[in-house]
Amino acid sequence: MRSDPGRGPAPPAAGYEAPGSCVLESYGPVPPDTVVSIDGPAGSGKSTTARALAERLGLLYVDSGAMYRALTWAAADAGVDPADEPGLLSLLDAAELTLKSSRGETEVFWGGRDISAAVRTPEVEARVSAVSAHAAVRERMVARQRALGRRQGVVMEGRDIGTVVFPLASAKIYLDATLEARAERRLRQHRRRGLSVDRGEVLREVEARDRRDSERAASPLRIPPDAMVIDNSTLTLDDQLEATEAAVRRLLAYRLPPTGHLEGELSLRYRIAFAVFGSVGRFTGLRVVGREHANLHGCILAPNHVSSWDPLILGAALAGKNHIRSIAKEELFRLPPSALLYRFLYAIPIKRNIYDTAAFDQAAQVLSEGQNLLFFPEGMRRVYGEPGPVRNGLGLIMQRTGAPCVPIYLRGTLSPQPGGGPRAPLEVSFAPAIRLHALPVLGRRLEPRAISREIGRLFEAIYRELQERSADRHPFTDWELEARERVRAGILRKESRTFHNRRPL
Ligand code: DC
């Protein structure tokens, strides 16, 4: 695993052995890099489902909860209090945590010692939520989990796999069941292991853990907006597996890469603009990753917003593909040079801080004509490059138009110059489009604004994922690391015009 200068020494990698997978011929293969996330509350049947699904699809099975359980056990063994974050971190850094996936339960090893049975005791269950609530602990666990998913296809189960660990998972499932059904399952599990426990006690324990897991500040248990929810309270195991596999395959089909190529005429203005933008791209040595994801008509292009150069750099990354009609704050249409550029490219002015119906009508029209729409979902620049909260406008446009939306991560656009400038390398990376019809959140009878908030959270997680992937290619610069620390410490919250002029930071 790569050493990340922002997080101290690299954690020891968790080892995995591939399960003795048997791919049933009738099911057909899935791409080997497929990542399936299965989230849900305690006792919702995640482990049984995830393991069986991994076998059916020929993917690796990973039980992320076992990692938190292992640390909880180690803390108890070493006399470290679950509230002692530094103590937990040093335990985690000192020992090697290995999971092995066998046909039965996940086998867990801590520093070579087999603790598979020890991590399933009620004592560990009672403390694991407290241990897993620490943001710093989660950050290290998540780094290990991501490293596994980047090496090969996985089915990973947990609480935050679809929301935080793999926001771009190929297919997401959220398993649920009534509290009573889940407590009954836990009771049977404990009894199978020879533990004598009281039914009422197990019910209270499951209820308490639900509360702790979903109310904690760091990555609480939430339903990802693009997850299929399966309530298995009354399903037999076979029926549930069938339902889950069918849902996964449907979601995989939604995620197929775009086919065909773009036709259509570029207007003269766009041909001129793209010629200019293209030469800016060549001059700056702009790196572009995953551009094929934007080979779409009528899609929303949704980058994080760093600087006024962003539309130009994005134009350089996409030169020649399609009209990019930008939505921009109306102030930019008043004075040159921005007014000239935005008017030249038929950009759409928008009034900020109100729901500007006319602008949204025009955006919908542009999309229905098959042109692409550039929209900055954060609604403001964040010059230090740390993605910020996504506003509701994005989800509202997606719901209104049904258009697919391509998340894009811009890096280093504050100072676009050859080699990326001293602050950050210059890169544009594209993620696969998020398609509204593949967002089961629509079926959850939420208000449009609540759906927009869910969509916004998904995009925030995707920006962070794209940011990390970018840092894997080109490590964070000192400037970026310092900005990151300051953002996290709450020193830098909003757009700062002075920040990049100060030297040293
Ligand atoms: O799935 P499980 O019961 O083995 O998980 C044990 C605990 O670990 C659970 O109470 C919450 C925590 N956990 C988590 O916070 N994030 C995950 N991805 C997986 C588990």
Side-chain angles (χ1 to χ4, degrees):
M1 204 179 292
R2 195 183 59 79
S3 161
D4 183 339
R7 303 200 184 113
Y16 272 84
E17 284 184 359
S21 57
C22 75
V23 185
L24 299 183
E25 279 179 8
S26 57
Y27 289 102
V30 295
D33 57 355
T34 300
V35 172
V36 179
S37 68
I38 301 198
D39 290 299
S44 55
K46 298 187 298 292
S47 302
T48 319
T49 312
R51 186 180 298 107
L53 193 71
E55 271 197 21
R56 286 182 174 201
L57 302 178
L59 301 171
L60 184 70
Y61 160 62
V62 179
D63 171 2
S64 69
M67 298 166 82
Y68 293 99
R69 285 171 181 265
L71 179 60
T72 307
W73 172 85
D77 190 58
V80 172
D81 192 275
D84 174 6
E85 186 174 280
L88 294 171
L89 294 178
S90 52
L91 271 179
L92 196 53
D93 288 341
E96 184 150 26
L97 163 62
T98 310
L99 305 185
K100 287 185 184 166
S101 190
S102 61
R103 285 199 170 270
E105 275 180 343
T106 299
E107 292 174 41
V108 188
F109 297 85
W110 186 269
R113 184 169 160 194
D114 184 351
I115 56 167
S116 313
V119 299
R120 307 277 162 199
T121 58
E123 291 74 41
V124 165
E125 299 222 323
R127 303 171 126 223
V128 64
S129 292
V131 169
S132 61
H134 295 286
V137 167
R138 302 199 68 81
E139 200 170 296
R140 290 189 201 196
M141 292 294 197
V142 167
R144 295 171 184 212
Q145 291 153 6
R146 284 191 180 144
L148 286 164
R150 284 188 194 148
R151 276 205 295 273
Q152 63 209 295
V154 290
V155 177
M156 192 176 290
E157 55 136 322
R159 301 291 191 289
D160 60 342
I161 310 302
T163 50
V164 175
V165 183
F166 297 119
L168 287 168
S170 333
K172 300 180 187 176
I173 299 292
Y174 186 91
L175 284 185
D176 211 351
T178 59
L179 175 64
E180 291 70 26
R182 293 185 290 116
E184 190 59 37
R185 290 173 194 160
R186 269 286 185 266
L187 188 72
R188 282 202 302 268
Q189 262 175 8
H190 284 321
R191 289 194 174 149
R192 266 202 308 275
R193 290 191 194 106
L195 299 170
S196 85
V197 277
D198 171 68
R199 175 173 272 108
E201 203 176 295
V202 172
L203 193 110
R204 280 190 297 281
E205 171 51 29
V206 171
E207 196 175 16
R209 200 136 67 92
D210 278 1
R211 212 172 29 249
R212 290 193 298 261
D213 290 346
S214 43
E215 287 175 5
R216 68 180 178 219
S219 318
L221 173 65
R222 280 195 299 105
I223 307 178
D226 45 348
M228 289 280 194
V229 180
I230 297 176
D231 186 319
N232 57 26
S233 310
T234 57
L235 295 182
T236 64
L237 185 58
D238 278 350
D239 286 349
Q240 183 205 303
L241 281 178
E242 286 304 312
T244 312
E245 186 179 348
V248 166
R249 288 186 181 278
R250 218 161 33 242
L251 289 168
L252 288 179
Y254 286 149
R255 285 283 176 116
L256 286 180
T259 51
H261 56 280
L262 296 175
E263 311 116 9
E265 280 288 299
L266 279 183
S267 67
L268 180 63
R269 287 191 184 192
Y270 268 82
R271 275 183 274 148
I272 294 171
F274 281 152
V276 176
F277 293 170
S279 49
V280 169
R282 280 189 295 281
F283 171 72
T284 53
L286 171 68
R287 280 182 287 247
V288 182
V289 179
R291 169 171 153 155
E292 66 281 4
H293 295 308
N295 286 355
L296 293 167
H297 277 305
C299 77
I300 303 168
L301 302 165
N304 62 315
H305 200 0
V306 180
S307 90
S308 310
W309 294 104
D310 292 352
L312 198 148
I313 297 297
L314 197 73
L318 287 167
K321 285 287 175 186
N322 195 352
H323 285 178
I324 306 172
R325 302 285 298 277
S326 179
I327 287 200
K329 59 182 177 187
E330 62 175 356
E331 298 90 294
L332 291 173
F333 292 75
R334 291 192 196 131
L335 291 173
S338 60
L340 294 178
L341 181 66
Y342 283 100
R343 286 178 194 277
F344 188 71
L345 293 178
Y346 313 107
I348 303 167
I350 190 167
K351 295 189 184 63
R352 292 198 298 174
N353 302 322
I354 60 160
Y355 186 81
D356 184 344
T357 325
F360 282 108
D361 284 351
Q362 215 183 330
Q365 174 70 24
V366 157
L367 287 166
S368 70
E369 288 165 2
Q371 305 187 55
N372 290 343
L373 180 77
L374 171 59
F375 181 80
F376 292 99
E378 297 159 306
M380 69 192 296
R381 283 172 288 160
R382 298 188 175 269
V383 295
Y384 30 85
E386 280 298 295
V390 166
R391 295 195 183 170
N392 283 344
L394 176 70
L396 293 172
I397 294 197
M398 284 177 76
Q399 290 176 77
R400 157 121 190 236
T401 61
C405 182
V406 180
I408 304 168
Y409 182 67
L410 300 177
R411 184 174 176 200
T413 58
L414 191 58
S415 47
Q417 50 188 285
R423 297 185 186 113
L426 185 61
E427 191 183 81
V428 178
S429 46
F430 296 85
I434 301 298
R435 290 160 203 268
L436 201 70
H437 62 265
L439 290 183
V441 69
L442 291 183
R444 278 169 49 204
R445 295 173 184 228
L446 297 172
E447 256 197 281
R449 254 171 217 286
I451 293 178
S452 297
R453 244 186 330 273
E454 294 291 323
I455 292 176
R457 285 190 179 132
L458 175 66
F459 273 75
E460 286 161 18
I462 292 175
Y463 290 139
R464 283 193 289 274
E465 165 80 3
L466 291 175
Q467 183 185 36
E468 287 221 355
R469 288 191 193 178
S470 177
D472 280 344
R473 289 185 290 270
H474 318 286
F476 288 123
T477 61
D478 290 345
W479 186 87
E480 288 178 301
L481 287 173
E482 195 167 337
R484 192 162 224 228
E485 284 310 311
R486 288 187 179 209
V487 172
R488 288 184 179 194
I491 299 169
L492 291 173
R493 257 188 234 106
K494 302 173 76 174
E495 173 184 19
S496 156
R497 288 180 198 287
T498 52
F499 170 62
H500 56 283
N501 295 328
R502 288 178 41 199
R503 195 179 292 269
L505 279 174

